[in-house]
């Protein structure tokens, strides 16, 4: 019985030592885990900063891409409009020639041609195509001199052989003119 009692006392003592060792281990583990957690938090904060910077850079790049695509789209639209308008100018020229060839006699056909020309010019104006000015003297940016008109004053336009047109302020087709000396 004394033996049993000694064994129980040793078991209790061993259990207390194990609990004390375990408690010390838990304290060390708590100390290590707090330090580990703080290091992990610091690492996560740095990672978050890096990801925020990457996200901001990606958003910036996306915005720049959208702006570039919009600029290219506008440029393409202007190019297509310019080509289309140039093709329509041939029809304007042909209608004007038909009106000149008809002479002074007013016929229903001539009236229809004039209305068609007027409608076409109004439509072209809606899209920024306007006739180049030939009233205010020769301008090399808007006119192409193809000959000399002996009846015109120096640097003045005498005869307009073919009208010129601009598209939104840019030269679409120069006016072919004869200029005085």
């Amino acid at each position: 019985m004394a033996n049993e009692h000694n064994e129980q006392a040793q078991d209790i003592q061993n259990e207390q030592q194990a609990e004390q060792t375990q408690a010390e281990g838990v304290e060390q583990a708590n100390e290590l885990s707090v330090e580990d957690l703080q290091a992990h938090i610091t690492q996560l904060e740095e990672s978050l900063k890096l990801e925020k910077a990457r996200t901001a850079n990606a958003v910036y790049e996306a915005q720049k891409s959208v702006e570039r695509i919009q600029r290219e789209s506008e440029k393409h639209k202007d190019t297509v409009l310019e080509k289309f308008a140039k093709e329509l100018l041939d029809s304007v020229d042909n209608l004007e020639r038909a009106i000149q060839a008809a002479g002074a006699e007013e016929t229903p056909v001539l009236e229809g041609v004039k209305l068609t020309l007027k409608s076409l010019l109004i439509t072209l104006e809606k899209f920024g195509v306007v006739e180049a000015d030939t009233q205010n003297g020769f301008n090399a940016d808007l006119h192409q001199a193809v000959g000399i008109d002996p009846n015109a004053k120096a640097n003045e336009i005498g005869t307009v052989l073919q009208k010129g047109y601009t598209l939104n302020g840019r030269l679409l087709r120069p006016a072919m003119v004869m200029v005085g000396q």
Side-chain angles (χ1 to χ4, degrees), residues 65-127:
S65 294
V66 166
E67 291 171 4
R68 180 181 46 81
I69 289 169
Q70 287 174 340
R71 279 192 313 271
E72 289 174 0
S73 173
E74 286 296 316
K75 189 175 182 180
H76 180 68
K77 184 179 87 174
D78 290 344
T79 302
V80 169
L81 181 60
E82 183 176 324
K83 287 180 182 179
F84 183 69
K86 277 184 179 180
E87 293 297 320
L88 287 179
L89 292 180
D90 290 337
S91 297
V92 169
D93 293 339
N94 289 334
L95 291 171
E96 288 175 344
R97 285 187 204 107
I99 292 169
Q100 285 177 348
E105 185 181 338
E106 287 291 323
T107 64
V109 173
L110 180 59
E111 187 177 330
V113 172
K114 286 181 179 180
L115 289 174
T116 302
L117 176 61
K118 182 180 177 183
S119 173
L120 184 56
L121 289 174
I122 289 171
T123 302
L124 286 172
E125 277 187 33
K126 284 181 186 177
F127 290 96

Side-chain angles (χ1 to χ4, degrees), residues 9-146:
Q10 274 184 347
D11 286 342
I12 291 174
Q13 190 178 15
N14 286 340
E15 284 178 18
Q16 287 175 351
Q17 284 178 348
E19 286 177 9
Q20 186 178 10
T21 304
Q22 188 177 13
E24 288 174 2
V26 167
E27 278 183 34
Q28 287 178 353
N30 283 343
E31 287 178 18
L32 289 177
S33 68
V34 168
E35 290 171 0
D36 287 344
L37 288 175
Q38 287 176 343
H40 191 64
I41 288 172
T42 303
Q43 180 185 7
L44 289 175
E45 286 174 344
E46 290 173 6
S47 177
L48 179 63
K49 287 179 186 177
L50 178 65
E51 292 305 318
K52 282 184 178 180
R54 286 181 180 164
T55 302
N57 190 34
V59 167
Y60 174 79
E61 291 296 323
Q63 288 173 340
K64 289 297 179 186
S65 294
V66 166
E67 291 171 4
R68 180 181 46 81
I69 289 169
Q70 287 174 340
R71 279 192 313 271
E72 289 174 0
S73 173
E74 286 296 316
K75 189 175 182 180
H76 180 68
K77 184 179 87 174
D78 290 344
T79 302
V80 169
L81 181 60
E82 183 176 324
K83 287 180 182 179
F84 183 69
K86 277 184 179 180
E87 293 297 320
L88 287 179
L89 292 180
D90 290 337
S91 297
V92 169
D93 293 339
N94 289 334
L95 291 171
E96 288 175 344
R97 285 187 204 107
I99 292 169
Q100 285 177 348
E105 185 181 338
E106 287 291 323
T107 64
V109 173
L110 180 59
E111 187 177 330
V113 172
K114 286 181 179 180
L115 289 174
T116 302
L117 176 61
K118 182 180 177 183
S119 173
L120 184 56
L121 289 174
I122 289 171
T123 302
L124 286 172
E125 277 187 33
K126 284 181 186 177
F127 290 96
V129 178
V130 293
E131 188 177 329
D133 178 31
T134 56
Q135 302 301 317
N136 295 321
F138 181 76
N139 180 348
D141 293 332
L142 298 174
H143 309 119
Q144 179 179 357
V146 294

